[in-house]
């Protein structure tokens, strides 16, 4: 996995807001190089983004976590 550059973050944020329909979604710049880029909604971190480059093609994978305690009652 390759690091996500600072220039990619606003582009990625714009695309994810459009795709997921959430204007409150933010892509957080990691505090130190090599740390995960995080996705937050309304300030709450909900996952991480990873960049992959294979044969010149770039893709992004999202790992999203939902805690059971955040689910509505059954």
């Amino acid at each position: 996995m390759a690091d996500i550059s600072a220039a990619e973050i606003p582009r990625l944020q714009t695309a994810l807001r459009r795709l997921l329909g959430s204007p409150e979604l933010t892509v957080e710049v990691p505090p130190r190089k090599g740390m995960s880029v995080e996705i937050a909604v309304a300030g709450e971190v909900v996952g991480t983004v990873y960049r992959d480059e294979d044969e010149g093609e770039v893709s992004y994978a999202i790992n999203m976590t939902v805690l059971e305690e955040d689910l509505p009652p059954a």
Side-chain angles (χ1 to χ4, degrees):
M1 295 283 175
D3 286 339
I4 298 174
S5 73
E8 289 172 288
I9 290 186
R11 295 175 55 226
L12 185 57
Q13 179 174 281
T14 298
L16 290 173
R17 283 179 173 176
R18 185 184 75 246
L19 288 169
L20 300 174
S22 179
E24 294 184 26
L25 181 143
T26 57
V27 178
E28 306 288 332
V29 177
R32 292 189 310 270
K33 186 171 175 63
M35 293 183 70
S36 296
V37 172
E38 296 178 329
I39 298 173
V41 176
E44 183 176 347
V45 174
V46 296
T48 52
V49 183
Y50 300 94
R51 181 182 190 272
D52 187 38
E53 188 169 351
D54 184 31
E55 296 182 9
E57 293 187 9
V58 176
S59 63
Y60 301 89
I62 298 172
N63 181 22
M64 186 175 289
T65 302
V66 178
L67 301 175
E68 183 179 9
E69 64 191 43
D70 293 332
L71 297 176

Short mmCIF file of all heavy atoms in Angstrom, two decimals:
data_model
loop_
_atom_site.label_atom_id
_atom_site.label_comp_id
_atom_site.label_asym_id
_atom_site.label_seq_id
_atom_site.Cartn_x
_atom_site.Cartn_y
_atom_site.Cartn_z
N MET A 1 0.84 -1.18 0.00
CA MET A 1 0.00 0.00 0.00
C MET A 1 0.88 1.25 0.00
O MET A 1 1.85 1.33 0.73
CB MET A 1 -0.90 0.03 1.24
CG MET A 1 -1.92 -1.06 1.32
SD MET A 1 -3.28 -0.70 0.23
CE MET A 1 -4.22 -2.18 0.43
N ALA A 2 0.49 2.21 -0.80
CA ALA A 2 1.24 3.46 -0.90
C ALA A 2 0.57 4.53 -0.03
O ALA A 2 -0.63 4.46 0.25
CB ALA A 2 1.26 3.92 -2.36
N ASP A 3 1.38 5.50 0.39
CA ASP A 3 0.84 6.62 1.15
C ASP A 3 -0.05 7.48 0.27
O ASP A 3 0.20 7.64 -0.93
CB ASP A 3 1.96 7.48 1.71
CG ASP A 3 2.68 6.82 2.88
OD1 ASP A 3 2.11 5.92 3.51
OD2 ASP A 3 3.82 7.23 3.17
N ILE A 4 -1.07 8.07 0.87
CA ILE A 4 -1.94 9.01 0.17
C ILE A 4 -1.32 10.39 0.32
O ILE A 4 -1.02 10.83 1.43
CB ILE A 4 -3.36 8.98 0.76
CG1 ILE A 4 -3.97 7.58 0.57
CG2 ILE A 4 -4.24 10.04 0.12
CD1 ILE A 4 -5.32 7.38 1.23
N SER A 5 -1.11 11.07 -0.80
CA SER A 5 -0.47 12.39 -0.76
C SER A 5 -1.46 13.45 -0.28
O SER A 5 -2.68 13.27 -0.37
CB SER A 5 0.07 12.77 -2.14
OG SER A 5 -1.00 13.10 -3.01
N ALA A 6 -0.92 14.56 0.20
CA ALA A 6 -1.75 15.67 0.67
C ALA A 6 -2.64 16.21 -0.46
O ALA A 6 -3.76 16.64 -0.22
CB ALA A 6 -0.88 16.77 1.25
N ALA A 7 -2.14 16.15 -1.69
CA ALA A 7 -2.91 16.64 -2.84
C ALA A 7 -4.11 15.73 -3.16
O ALA A 7 -5.11 16.18 -3.71
CB ALA A 7 -2.01 16.77 -4.06
N GLU A 8 -4.01 14.45 -2.82
CA GLU A 8 -5.09 13.51 -3.11
C GLU A 8 -6.26 13.63 -2.11
O GLU A 8 -7.40 13.29 -2.45
CB GLU A 8 -4.58 12.07 -3.05
CG GLU A 8 -3.68 11.69 -4.19
CD GLU A 8 -3.06 10.33 -3.99
OE1 GLU A 8 -2.16 10.20 -3.14
OE2 GLU A 8 -3.49 9.40 -4.70
N ILE A 9 -5.98 14.09 -0.91
CA ILE A 9 -7.00 14.09 0.14
C ILE A 9 -8.23 14.92 -0.20
O ILE A 9 -9.34 14.42 -0.09
CB ILE A 9 -6.36 14.46 1.50
CG1 ILE A 9 -5.49 13.28 1.92
CG2 ILE A 9 -7.42 14.80 2.54
CD1 ILE A 9 -4.86 13.32 3.24
N PRO A 10 -8.12 16.17 -0.64
CA PRO A 10 -9.34 16.91 -0.98
C PRO A 10 -10.11 16.29 -2.15
O PRO A 10 -11.34 16.30 -2.17
CB PRO A 10 -8.86 18.32 -1.30
CG PRO A 10 -7.38 18.29 -1.31
CD PRO A 10 -6.93 17.01 -0.72
N ARG A 11 -9.39 15.74 -3.12
CA ARG A 11 -10.05 15.08 -4.25
C ARG A 11 -10.81 13.85 -3.78
O ARG A 11 -11.95 13.59 -4.21
CB ARG A 11 -9.02 14.70 -5.31
CG ARG A 11 -8.35 15.91 -5.96
CD ARG A 11 -7.25 15.53 -6.93
NE ARG A 11 -7.73 14.62 -7.94
CZ ARG A 11 -7.08 13.52 -8.32
NH1 ARG A 11 -5.92 13.19 -7.79
NH2 ARG A 11 -7.58 12.74 -9.24
N LEU A 12 -10.17 13.08 -2.90
CA LEU A 12 -10.80 11.89 -2.36
C LEU A 12 -12.02 12.26 -1.51
O LEU A 12 -13.08 11.63 -1.61
CB LEU A 12 -9.77 11.11 -1.53
CG LEU A 12 -10.19 9.78 -0.96
CD1 LEU A 12 -10.65 8.82 -2.05
CD2 LEU A 12 -9.03 9.16 -0.19
N GLN A 13 -11.90 13.30 -0.70
CA GLN A 13 -13.01 13.75 0.13
C GLN A 13 -14.20 14.17 -0.73
O GLN A 13 -15.35 13.79 -0.46
CB GLN A 13 -12.57 14.92 1.01
CG GLN A 13 -13.68 15.47 1.89
CD GLN A 13 -13.16 16.51 2.83
OE1 GLN A 13 -12.58 16.16 3.84
NE2 GLN A 13 -13.35 17.78 2.51
N THR A 14 -13.95 14.91 -1.79
CA THR A 14 -15.02 15.34 -2.70
C THR A 14 -15.71 14.13 -3.33
O THR A 14 -16.95 14.06 -3.37
CB THR A 14 -14.46 16.27 -3.79
OG1 THR A 14 -13.91 17.43 -3.17
CG2 THR A 14 -15.53 16.66 -4.79
N ALA A 15 -14.93 13.17 -3.79
CA ALA A 15 -15.51 11.98 -4.41
C ALA A 15 -16.33 11.16 -3.42
O ALA A 15 -17.43 10.72 -3.74
CB ALA A 15 -14.41 11.11 -5.02
N LEU A 16 -15.82 10.98 -2.20
CA LEU A 16 -16.55 10.20 -1.20
C LEU A 16 -17.82 10.90 -0.74
O LEU A 16 -18.85 10.26 -0.53
CB LEU A 16 -15.64 9.89 0.00
CG LEU A 16 -14.52 8.89 -0.28
CD1 LEU A 16 -13.58 8.80 0.92
CD2 LEU A 16 -15.09 7.53 -0.64
N ARG A 17 -17.77 12.22 -0.60
CA ARG A 17 -18.99 12.97 -0.23
C ARG A 17 -20.07 12.76 -1.29
O ARG A 17 -21.23 12.56 -0.98
CB ARG A 17 -18.68 14.45 -0.09
CG ARG A 17 -17.99 14.82 1.19
CD ARG A 17 -17.70 16.30 1.25
NE ARG A 17 -17.17 16.67 2.56
CZ ARG A 17 -16.76 17.89 2.86
NH1 ARG A 17 -16.80 18.86 1.95
NH2 ARG A 17 -16.29 18.14 4.07
N ARG A 18 -19.67 12.84 -2.56
CA ARG A 18 -20.61 12.66 -3.66
C ARG A 18 -21.14 11.23 -3.70
O ARG A 18 -22.35 11.00 -3.75
CB ARG A 18 -19.95 13.02 -4.99
CG ARG A 18 -20.92 12.99 -6.17
CD ARG A 18 -20.22 13.25 -7.50
NE ARG A 18 -19.46 12.06 -7.89
CZ ARG A 18 -18.13 12.00 -7.97
NH1 ARG A 18 -17.39 13.05 -7.72
NH2 ARG A 18 -17.53 10.88 -8.33
N LEU A 19 -20.25 10.25 -3.63
CA LEU A 19 -20.64 8.85 -3.74
C LEU A 19 -21.50 8.38 -2.56
O LEU A 19 -22.45 7.62 -2.74
CB LEU A 19 -19.40 7.95 -3.83
CG LEU A 19 -18.63 8.00 -5.13
CD1 LEU A 19 -17.30 7.28 -4.98
CD2 LEU A 19 -19.44 7.38 -6.25
N LEU A 20 -21.16 8.83 -1.36
CA LEU A 20 -21.87 8.38 -0.16
C LEU A 20 -22.98 9.33 0.28
O LEU A 20 -23.71 9.02 1.22
CB LEU A 20 -20.87 8.16 0.98
CG LEU A 20 -19.78 7.12 0.68
CD1 LEU A 20 -18.75 7.08 1.80
CD2 LEU A 20 -20.39 5.75 0.44
N GLY A 21 -23.10 10.46 -0.40
CA GLY A 21 -24.18 11.40 -0.11
C GLY A 21 -24.09 12.02 1.28
O GLY A 21 -25.13 12.26 1.90
N SER A 22 -22.89 12.28 1.74
CA SER A 22 -22.72 12.84 3.08
C SER A 22 -21.81 14.07 3.03
O SER A 22 -20.58 13.92 3.02
CB SER A 22 -22.14 11.80 4.03
OG SER A 22 -21.96 12.37 5.31
N PRO A 23 -22.39 15.28 3.05
CA PRO A 23 -21.56 16.48 3.04
C PRO A 23 -20.75 16.66 4.33
O PRO A 23 -19.81 17.44 4.36
CB PRO A 23 -22.55 17.62 2.84
CG PRO A 23 -23.87 17.06 3.24
CD PRO A 23 -23.81 15.58 3.01
N GLU A 24 -21.09 15.93 5.38
CA GLU A 24 -20.37 16.02 6.65
C GLU A 24 -19.16 15.09 6.70
O GLU A 24 -18.41 15.10 7.68
CB GLU A 24 -21.30 15.72 7.82
CG GLU A 24 -22.39 16.76 7.99
CD GLU A 24 -23.24 16.49 9.21
OE1 GLU A 24 -22.75 15.85 10.16
OE2 GLU A 24 -24.40 16.92 9.20
N LEU A 25 -18.95 14.29 5.67
CA LEU A 25 -17.82 13.37 5.62
C LEU A 25 -16.53 14.15 5.42
O LEU A 25 -16.47 15.06 4.58
CB LEU A 25 -18.01 12.38 4.48
CG LEU A 25 -16.93 11.32 4.30
CD1 LEU A 25 -17.58 10.02 3.87
CD2 LEU A 25 -15.89 11.74 3.32
N THR A 26 -15.50 13.82 6.18
CA THR A 26 -14.19 14.44 6.00
C THR A 26 -13.13 13.35 5.91
O THR A 26 -13.26 12.29 6.52
CB THR A 26 -13.82 15.39 7.16
OG1 THR A 26 -13.87 14.68 8.39
CG2 THR A 26 -14.74 16.58 7.22
N VAL A 27 -12.11 13.62 5.14
CA VAL A 27 -10.96 12.74 5.05
C VAL A 27 -9.85 13.46 5.81
O VAL A 27 -9.43 14.55 5.44
CB VAL A 27 -10.55 12.45 3.60
CG1 VAL A 27 -9.32 11.58 3.54
CG2 VAL A 27 -11.72 11.79 2.85
N GLU A 28 -9.40 12.84 6.90
CA GLU A 28 -8.47 13.48 7.82
C GLU A 28 -7.01 13.22 7.43
O GLU A 28 -6.62 12.08 7.20
CB GLU A 28 -8.69 12.94 9.24
CG GLU A 28 -10.12 13.05 9.73
CD GLU A 28 -10.54 14.47 10.05
OE1 GLU A 28 -9.66 15.28 10.40
OE2 GLU A 28 -11.75 14.75 9.95
N VAL A 29 -6.22 14.27 7.38
CA VAL A 29 -4.79 14.16 7.11
C VAL A 29 -4.14 13.54 8.35
O VAL A 29 -4.37 14.00 9.46
CB VAL A 29 -4.18 15.55 6.83
CG1 VAL A 29 -2.68 15.45 6.63
CG2 VAL A 29 -4.85 16.19 5.64
N PRO A 30 -3.35 12.49 8.17
CA PRO A 30 -2.72 11.88 9.35
C PRO A 30 -1.69 12.83 9.98
O PRO A 30 -1.05 13.60 9.27
CB PRO A 30 -2.04 10.63 8.79
CG PRO A 30 -1.91 10.85 7.34
CD PRO A 30 -2.99 11.81 6.93
N PRO A 31 -1.56 12.76 11.31
CA PRO A 31 -0.62 13.67 11.99
C PRO A 31 0.84 13.39 11.65
O PRO A 31 1.67 14.29 11.73
CB PRO A 31 -0.89 13.45 13.47
CG PRO A 31 -1.59 12.14 13.56
CD PRO A 31 -2.28 11.92 12.25
N ARG A 32 1.16 12.15 11.29
CA ARG A 32 2.54 11.79 10.93
C ARG A 32 2.53 10.93 9.68
O ARG A 32 1.61 10.15 9.46
CB ARG A 32 3.20 11.02 12.07
CG ARG A 32 3.46 11.86 13.31
CD ARG A 32 4.31 11.13 14.34
NE ARG A 32 3.88 9.79 14.66
CZ ARG A 32 3.02 9.47 15.64
NH1 ARG A 32 2.50 10.41 16.38
NH2 ARG A 32 2.69 8.21 15.85
N LYS A 33 3.59 11.06 8.90
CA LYS A 33 3.74 10.25 7.69
C LYS A 33 3.71 8.76 8.04
O LYS A 33 4.26 8.35 9.05
CB LYS A 33 5.06 10.60 7.00
CG LYS A 33 5.24 9.94 5.66
CD LYS A 33 6.45 10.49 4.95
CE LYS A 33 6.74 9.78 3.66
NZ LYS A 33 5.72 9.88 2.65
N GLY A 34 3.03 7.99 7.22
CA GLY A 34 2.95 6.55 7.43
C GLY A 34 1.75 6.11 8.25
O GLY A 34 1.44 4.93 8.31
N MET A 35 1.05 7.07 8.88
CA MET A 35 -0.16 6.72 9.64
C MET A 35 -1.35 6.63 8.69
O MET A 35 -1.33 7.16 7.59
CB MET A 35 -0.42 7.75 10.73
CG MET A 35 0.63 7.77 11.83
SD MET A 35 0.25 8.93 13.14
CE MET A 35 -1.15 8.10 13.90
N SER A 36 -2.40 5.98 9.14
CA SER A 36 -3.60 5.80 8.32
C SER A 36 -4.34 7.11 8.09
O SER A 36 -4.41 7.96 8.97
CB SER A 36 -4.55 4.82 9.01
OG SER A 36 -3.98 3.56 9.11
N VAL A 37 -4.90 7.23 6.90
CA VAL A 37 -5.80 8.33 6.59
C VAL A 37 -7.18 7.90 7.08
O VAL A 37 -7.64 6.80 6.75
CB VAL A 37 -5.80 8.61 5.07
CG1 VAL A 37 -6.86 9.62 4.71
CG2 VAL A 37 -4.43 9.09 4.62
N GLU A 38 -7.83 8.74 7.87
CA GLU A 38 -9.11 8.38 8.46
C GLU A 38 -10.27 9.12 7.81
O GLU A 38 -10.11 10.24 7.35
CB GLU A 38 -9.10 8.67 9.97
CG GLU A 38 -8.09 7.84 10.72
CD GLU A 38 -8.04 8.16 12.19
OE1 GLU A 38 -8.29 9.32 12.58
OE2 GLU A 38 -7.73 7.24 12.97
N ILE A 39 -11.42 8.46 7.82
CA ILE A 39 -12.67 9.06 7.35
C ILE A 39 -13.52 9.33 8.58
O ILE A 39 -13.67 8.46 9.44
CB ILE A 39 -13.44 8.11 6.43
CG1 ILE A 39 -12.63 7.79 5.18
CG2 ILE A 39 -14.78 8.72 6.03
CD1 ILE A 39 -13.29 6.73 4.32
N ALA A 40 -14.07 10.54 8.65
CA ALA A 40 -14.94 10.90 9.77
C ALA A 40 -16.26 11.43 9.22
O ALA A 40 -16.31 12.01 8.13
CB ALA A 40 -14.27 11.94 10.66
N VAL A 41 -17.33 11.23 9.98
CA VAL A 41 -18.63 11.79 9.66
C VAL A 41 -19.07 12.56 10.89
O VAL A 41 -19.15 11.99 11.99
CB VAL A 41 -19.66 10.71 9.28
CG1 VAL A 41 -21.02 11.34 9.03
CG2 VAL A 41 -19.20 9.93 8.06
N ALA A 42 -19.32 13.85 10.71
CA ALA A 42 -19.70 14.73 11.81
C ALA A 42 -18.70 14.63 12.96
O ALA A 42 -19.07 14.61 14.12
CB ALA A 42 -21.12 14.43 12.28
N GLY A 43 -17.42 14.51 12.63
CA GLY A 43 -16.36 14.48 13.63
C GLY A 43 -16.06 13.12 14.23
O GLY A 43 -15.09 12.98 14.96
N GLU A 44 -16.86 12.11 13.92
CA GLU A 44 -16.63 10.77 14.47
C GLU A 44 -15.94 9.89 13.43
O GLU A 44 -16.45 9.70 12.32
CB GLU A 44 -17.95 10.12 14.88
CG GLU A 44 -17.75 8.77 15.51
CD GLU A 44 -19.05 8.16 16.03
OE1 GLU A 44 -20.06 8.86 16.12
OE2 GLU A 44 -19.04 6.96 16.33
N VAL A 45 -14.78 9.35 13.79
CA VAL A 45 -14.03 8.50 12.86
C VAL A 45 -14.81 7.21 12.63
O VAL A 45 -15.22 6.54 13.58
CB VAL A 45 -12.62 8.20 13.40
CG1 VAL A 45 -11.90 7.20 12.50
CG2 VAL A 45 -11.81 9.47 13.52
N VAL A 46 -15.02 6.89 11.35
CA VAL A 46 -15.78 5.69 11.00
C VAL A 46 -14.97 4.67 10.20
O VAL A 46 -15.43 3.57 9.96
CB VAL A 46 -17.08 6.04 10.22
CG1 VAL A 46 -18.03 6.84 11.08
CG2 VAL A 46 -16.77 6.76 8.92
N GLY A 47 -13.76 5.06 9.78
CA GLY A 47 -12.96 4.11 9.02
C GLY A 47 -11.65 4.69 8.55
O GLY A 47 -11.29 5.82 8.88
N THR A 48 -10.95 3.90 7.76
CA THR A 48 -9.66 4.29 7.22
C THR A 48 -9.65 4.07 5.71
O THR A 48 -10.41 3.27 5.18
CB THR A 48 -8.51 3.48 7.85
OG1 THR A 48 -8.82 2.09 7.76
CG2 THR A 48 -8.32 3.84 9.31
N VAL A 49 -8.77 4.81 5.03
CA VAL A 49 -8.63 4.71 3.58
C VAL A 49 -7.21 4.27 3.26
O VAL A 49 -6.25 4.76 3.87
CB VAL A 49 -8.88 6.06 2.88
CG1 VAL A 49 -8.79 5.93 1.37
CG2 VAL A 49 -10.19 6.66 3.28
N TYR A 50 -7.08 3.36 2.31
CA TYR A 50 -5.78 2.87 1.88
C TYR A 50 -5.66 3.05 0.37
O TYR A 50 -6.64 2.87 -0.35
CB TYR A 50 -5.61 1.39 2.24
CG TYR A 50 -5.71 1.16 3.72
CD1 TYR A 50 -6.93 0.80 4.29
CD2 TYR A 50 -4.62 1.35 4.54
CE1 TYR A 50 -7.04 0.62 5.66
CE2 TYR A 50 -4.71 1.16 5.91
CZ TYR A 50 -5.93 0.80 6.46
OH TYR A 50 -6.04 0.62 7.81
N ARG A 51 -4.48 3.42 -0.07
CA ARG A 51 -4.22 3.64 -1.49
C ARG A 51 -3.42 2.46 -2.02
O ARG A 51 -2.47 2.00 -1.40
CB ARG A 51 -3.39 4.91 -1.66
CG ARG A 51 -3.07 5.29 -3.09
CD ARG A 51 -2.20 6.55 -3.09
NE ARG A 51 -2.05 7.11 -4.39
CZ ARG A 51 -1.10 6.77 -5.27
NH1 ARG A 51 -0.22 5.84 -4.95
NH2 ARG A 51 -1.04 7.35 -6.44
N ASP A 52 -3.81 1.99 -3.21
CA ASP A 52 -3.10 0.89 -3.85
C ASP A 52 -2.77 1.30 -5.28
O ASP A 52 -3.61 1.89 -5.96
CB ASP A 52 -3.96 -0.38 -3.84
CG ASP A 52 -3.20 -1.59 -4.34
OD1 ASP A 52 -2.00 -1.71 -4.03
OD2 ASP A 52 -3.81 -2.41 -5.04
N GLU A 53 -1.56 1.01 -5.69
CA GLU A 53 -1.16 1.29 -7.07
C GLU A 53 -0.61 0.00 -7.66
O GLU A 53 0.30 -0.61 -7.12
CB GLU A 53 -0.09 2.38 -7.11
CG GLU A 53 0.22 2.83 -8.51
CD GLU A 53 1.08 4.09 -8.55
OE1 GLU A 53 1.29 4.71 -7.50
OE2 GLU A 53 1.52 4.43 -9.66
N ASP A 54 -1.23 -0.42 -8.77
CA ASP A 54 -0.85 -1.67 -9.42
C ASP A 54 -0.79 -1.42 -10.92
O ASP A 54 -1.81 -1.06 -11.53
CB ASP A 54 -1.85 -2.77 -9.08
CG ASP A 54 -1.45 -4.12 -9.64
OD1 ASP A 54 -0.24 -4.39 -9.76
OD2 ASP A 54 -2.36 -4.92 -9.95
N GLU A 55 0.37 -1.61 -11.50
CA GLU A 55 0.58 -1.43 -12.93
C GLU A 55 0.11 -0.06 -13.41
O GLU A 55 -0.53 0.08 -14.46
CB GLU A 55 -0.11 -2.55 -13.72
CG GLU A 55 0.48 -3.91 -13.43
CD GLU A 55 -0.17 -5.02 -14.24
OE1 GLU A 55 -0.97 -4.72 -15.15
OE2 GLU A 55 0.14 -6.19 -13.95
N GLY A 56 0.38 0.97 -12.61
CA GLY A 56 0.03 2.33 -12.98
C GLY A 56 -1.39 2.75 -12.67
O GLY A 56 -1.75 3.90 -12.86
N GLU A 57 -2.23 1.82 -12.21
CA GLU A 57 -3.60 2.16 -11.86
C GLU A 57 -3.71 2.35 -10.35
O GLU A 57 -3.24 1.53 -9.58
CB GLU A 57 -4.56 1.07 -12.32
CG GLU A 57 -4.66 0.96 -13.82
CD GLU A 57 -5.74 0.00 -14.26
OE1 GLU A 57 -6.53 -0.45 -13.42
OE2 GLU A 57 -5.78 -0.29 -15.46
N VAL A 58 -4.35 3.44 -9.95
CA VAL A 58 -4.50 3.76 -8.53
C VAL A 58 -5.94 3.48 -8.11
O VAL A 58 -6.90 3.81 -8.81
CB VAL A 58 -4.17 5.25 -8.28
CG1 VAL A 58 -4.42 5.62 -6.82
CG2 VAL A 58 -2.72 5.53 -8.66
N SER A 59 -6.09 2.84 -6.95
CA SER A 59 -7.41 2.62 -6.37
C SER A 59 -7.33 2.88 -4.87
O SER A 59 -6.24 2.92 -4.28
CB SER A 59 -7.90 1.19 -6.63
OG SER A 59 -7.05 0.26 -6.00
N TYR A 60 -8.48 3.08 -4.27
CA TYR A 60 -8.56 3.36 -2.84
C TYR A 60 -9.50 2.34 -2.21
O TYR A 60 -10.58 2.08 -2.74
CB TYR A 60 -9.09 4.77 -2.59
CG TYR A 60 -8.22 5.83 -3.23
CD1 TYR A 60 -8.46 6.25 -4.53
CD2 TYR A 60 -7.15 6.38 -2.55
CE1 TYR A 60 -7.66 7.20 -5.14
CE2 TYR A 60 -6.34 7.33 -3.15
CZ TYR A 60 -6.60 7.74 -4.44
OH TYR A 60 -5.80 8.66 -5.04
N ALA A 61 -9.11 1.79 -1.09
CA ALA A 61 -9.94 0.84 -0.35
C ALA A 61 -10.32 1.48 0.98
O ALA A 61 -9.49 2.12 1.63
CB ALA A 61 -9.18 -0.46 -0.12
N ILE A 62 -11.56 1.28 1.37
CA ILE A 62 -12.06 1.83 2.63
C ILE A 62 -12.37 0.68 3.57
O ILE A 62 -13.05 -0.27 3.19
CB ILE A 62 -13.34 2.67 2.40
CG1 ILE A 62 -13.03 3.84 1.49
CG2 ILE A 62 -13.93 3.13 3.72
CD1 ILE A 62 -14.26 4.60 1.05
N ASN A 63 -11.88 0.80 4.79
CA ASN A 63 -12.22 -0.15 5.85
C ASN A 63 -13.07 0.61 6.86
O ASN A 63 -12.58 1.52 7.53
CB ASN A 63 -10.95 -0.70 6.51
CG ASN A 63 -11.26 -1.70 7.58
OD1 ASN A 63 -12.32 -2.30 7.58
ND2 ASN A 63 -10.33 -1.89 8.49
N MET A 64 -14.35 0.26 6.93
CA MET A 64 -15.28 0.97 7.81
C MET A 64 -15.67 0.07 8.97
O MET A 64 -15.93 -1.11 8.79
CB MET A 64 -16.53 1.39 7.04
CG MET A 64 -17.47 2.26 7.84
SD MET A 64 -18.85 2.87 6.87
CE MET A 64 -18.02 4.04 5.82
N THR A 65 -15.74 0.66 10.16
CA THR A 65 -16.09 -0.09 11.37
C THR A 65 -17.39 0.47 11.94
O THR A 65 -17.53 1.69 12.09
CB THR A 65 -14.97 0.05 12.42
OG1 THR A 65 -13.76 -0.43 11.85
CG2 THR A 65 -15.29 -0.72 13.67
N VAL A 66 -18.32 -0.42 12.25
CA VAL A 66 -19.56 -0.04 12.94
C VAL A 66 -19.61 -0.87 14.22
O VAL A 66 -19.60 -2.10 14.17
CB VAL A 66 -20.81 -0.32 12.07
CG1 VAL A 66 -22.08 0.04 12.83
CG2 VAL A 66 -20.72 0.42 10.75
N LEU A 67 -19.64 -0.18 15.34
CA LEU A 67 -19.71 -0.87 16.63
C LEU A 67 -21.13 -1.33 16.92
O LEU A 67 -22.10 -0.64 16.58
CB LEU A 67 -19.23 0.05 17.76
CG LEU A 67 -17.81 0.56 17.63
CD1 LEU A 67 -17.51 1.56 18.74
CD2 LEU A 67 -16.81 -0.57 17.64
N GLU A 68 -21.27 -2.48 17.53
CA GLU A 68 -22.59 -2.99 17.87
C GLU A 68 -23.36 -2.01 18.75
O GLU A 68 -24.56 -1.83 18.60
CB GLU A 68 -22.49 -4.34 18.56
CG GLU A 68 -23.85 -4.93 18.87
CD GLU A 68 -23.77 -6.28 19.54
OE1 GLU A 68 -22.69 -6.72 19.94
OE2 GLU A 68 -24.84 -6.91 19.65
N GLU A 69 -22.64 -1.33 19.63
CA GLU A 69 -23.30 -0.38 20.53
C GLU A 69 -23.92 0.80 19.79
O GLU A 69 -24.79 1.49 20.32
CB GLU A 69 -22.33 0.13 21.59
CG GLU A 69 -21.18 0.93 21.01
CD GLU A 69 -20.08 1.21 22.02
OE1 GLU A 69 -19.72 0.31 22.78
OE2 GLU A 69 -19.58 2.34 22.03
N ASP A 70 -23.50 1.03 18.53
CA ASP A 70 -24.06 2.10 17.74
C ASP A 70 -25.29 1.68 16.93
O ASP A 70 -25.94 2.52 16.31
CB ASP A 70 -23.00 2.67 16.79
CG ASP A 70 -21.88 3.38 17.52
OD1 ASP A 70 -22.13 3.90 18.63
OD2 ASP A 70 -20.75 3.42 17.00
N LEU A 71 -25.60 0.38 16.92
CA LEU A 71 -26.76 -0.12 16.19
C LEU A 71 -28.04 0.15 16.97
O LEU A 71 -28.03 0.17 18.21
CB LEU A 71 -26.62 -1.64 15.95
CG LEU A 71 -25.45 -2.10 15.09
CD1 LEU A 71 -25.42 -3.62 15.04
CD2 LEU A 71 -25.51 -1.49 13.70
N PRO A 72 -29.16 0.32 16.26
CA PRO A 72 -30.44 0.48 16.96
C PRO A 72 -30.81 -0.84 17.65
O PRO A 72 -30.36 -1.91 17.24
CB PRO A 72 -31.42 0.83 15.86
CG PRO A 72 -30.79 0.36 14.60
CD PRO A 72 -29.31 0.39 14.82
N PRO A 73 -31.64 -0.77 18.67
CA PRO A 73 -32.05 -2.01 19.36
C PRO A 73 -32.76 -2.97 18.39
O PRO A 73 -33.42 -2.53 17.44
CB PRO A 73 -33.03 -1.53 20.44
CG PRO A 73 -32.86 -0.06 20.53
CD PRO A 73 -32.24 0.41 19.26
N ALA A 74 -32.62 -4.25 18.65
CA ALA A 74 -33.25 -5.26 17.80
C ALA A 74 -34.74 -5.31 18.04
O ALA A 74 -35.26 -4.98 19.04
CB ALA A 74 -32.64 -6.63 18.08
#
